[in-house]
Amino acid sequence: MNAYPASVDVAIVGSGPTGATYARILTERAPHATIAMFEVGPTVSQPPGAHVKNIEDAEQRTHAQRRSEGPGAGSATVNSPGAVRSGERRARPGTYLLADGFQADGEDGLPVVAFSSNVGGMAAHWTGACPRPGGSERIGFIPDMDELLDDADRLLGVTTDAFDAAPFTSLVRERLAAVVDEGRDEAARVQRMPLAVHRREDGRLVWSGSDVVLGDVTRSNPGFSLFDESLVTRVLVEDGRAAGVVVRDLSTGDEHEIRARVVVVAADALRTPQVLWASGIRPAALGRMLNDQSQVVYAARLRDVDPPREDQIAASGALSEQSGVSWVPFTDDMPFHGQIMQLDASPVPLADDDPVVPGSIVGLGLFCVKDLQWDDRVEFSDSELDSYGMPAMRVHYRLTDRDHDVLDRARAQIVELARAVGEPIGEHPFTMPLGASLHYQGTTRMGETEDGRSVCGPDSEVWGVSGLFVAGNGVIPTSTACNPTLTSVALAIRGARRIASALAYV
Ligand code: FAD
């Protein structure tokens, strides 16, 4: 049973990296503020929010993943993009799928749209790729974006050198660069992928989750508390201002009202609009402009390479399914983002008498931009409920002719990249089922002005409801192909700084 406070300065809904960003920045900038964070899922790792890949015991790691799968716990999962080729509708470990409502008749839908319900959210399970947006991915009306991205790197503990000692990483980048780099600005050339990971002195990798974003400074803040297994059913609004939240303690089923001066909803790109809808906050753009990054994957094998030395194999990182990640940045001319990972095993079976040189299998993935559409949306029901008792979701989603064109170009490009790297594995690239990117955006989008096409302003405060902030990938208004979390954390930093300066004057 949770012992909730009667009132706090700031209530945060959701404990993923963007909710954690609000807690961290407020701790740093408004140290006397009281902050309560509510998370519907359980605590599955220590410190709370830590990445499950840091759990060394395989059984305990699997247990932590299972406990993050909310209503989907117990369902079969797939481990790698390659395994998704089976064509079955399965979630990745640590996530669960929508049981229904993922595809309307005659539409493409998002068949594998997924969620995580645990302290730390999806970032207890993520790959940690933290590229910066470029070209049209960037939000034109946020002038301080570069400084915010720098601070987001700090909070997420982003590094670029964790895999430098791993085998063949420079070779892979050189081969990719030979077909990609010509005519590109330096920032858009092939390079190491910035990753939210660091190496301990003993060589082990430590993947960042919300625990790193919170940091010791937040954990030791006496004004900060985190309540798990606590579902926020609605935000209280009085006289056009956020006034608190209603929380259901899942251990007792009892509901509690907690008063707050400011409420931040950071409950992922589908559940943040769900909480707003359930609270009667329903701006026209809520849930709309939903976008996901279509994804194409392929693999290649480096040939004629010497087996790596023992120390290089160790340096590739125990407890990691990958040993190096390279980045082919998005450009407006080539509107996809390349995440190239050296894998410890082939995604498709290889002949028994053809042993794999560790680090020589290269998994290629291209994420595509979406042609944003007002009608692509998540709707919420006034009568049906989901398994948490929240308004049931129904996804409407279609690929346009432009989307199909970009996908065709991505398929051609990935074949070119695979051939440049080595010998392609398999005859054709594979197009992942929609929703597989796990990068859903646009549903609580930010706008420069209150023009009816956005949900919040440049500081993430919801238009027309002062003191209510939204956070997460849903806030991103542009069509991005790069992994979005760094950008969402940067936008959350901006919102949190705004709250911190406002709290200083009340
Ligand atoms: P989340 O991390 O989803 O957290 C939201 C939290 O809110 C959840 O814990 C949820 O349980 C909670 N919640 C929801 N509703 C309520 C409610 N009503 N009351 C209380 N709590 C609620 N992104 C990248 O940028 N790079 C990558 O390399 C990458 N790889 C990924 C790989 C995998 C396998 C997965 C699963 C995700 C990956 N992602 C990646 C996506 C990334 O994890 C998300 O972008 C990021 O976690 C979003 O942060 P968030 O705080 O907005 O939401």
Side-chain angles (χ1 to χ4, degrees), residues 13-19 38-41 92-93 95 116-123 125-130 230-233 266-268 271 274-275 339 390 437-439 471-473 483-486:
V13 186
S15 65
T18 62
F38 304 98
E39 167 56 54
V40 66
R92 305 270 291 272
T95 71
S116 294
S117 286
N118 54 276
V119 171
M122 274 196 180
H125 313 281
W126 71 329
T127 310
C130 286
S230 298
L231 173 76
V232 171
T233 57
D268 83 36
R271 289 181 285 179
Q274 183 186 49
V275 171
Q339 185 168 312
M390 296 294 281
S437 76
L438 306 160
H439 300 159
N473 302 332
N483 319 65
T485 311
L486 184 80

Side-chain angles (χ1 to χ4, degrees), residues 1-2 229 248-254:
M1 190 172 122
N2 276 305
E229 308 201 51
R248 185 178 304 147
D249 185 342
L250 298 188
S251 61
T252 61
D254 295 342

Side-chain angles (χ1 to χ4, degrees), residues 136-147:
S136 59
E137 294 183 307
R138 290 174 66 93
I139 307 165
F141 55 84
I142 303 288
D144 49 346
M145 196 65 190
D146 287 319
E147 186 267 321

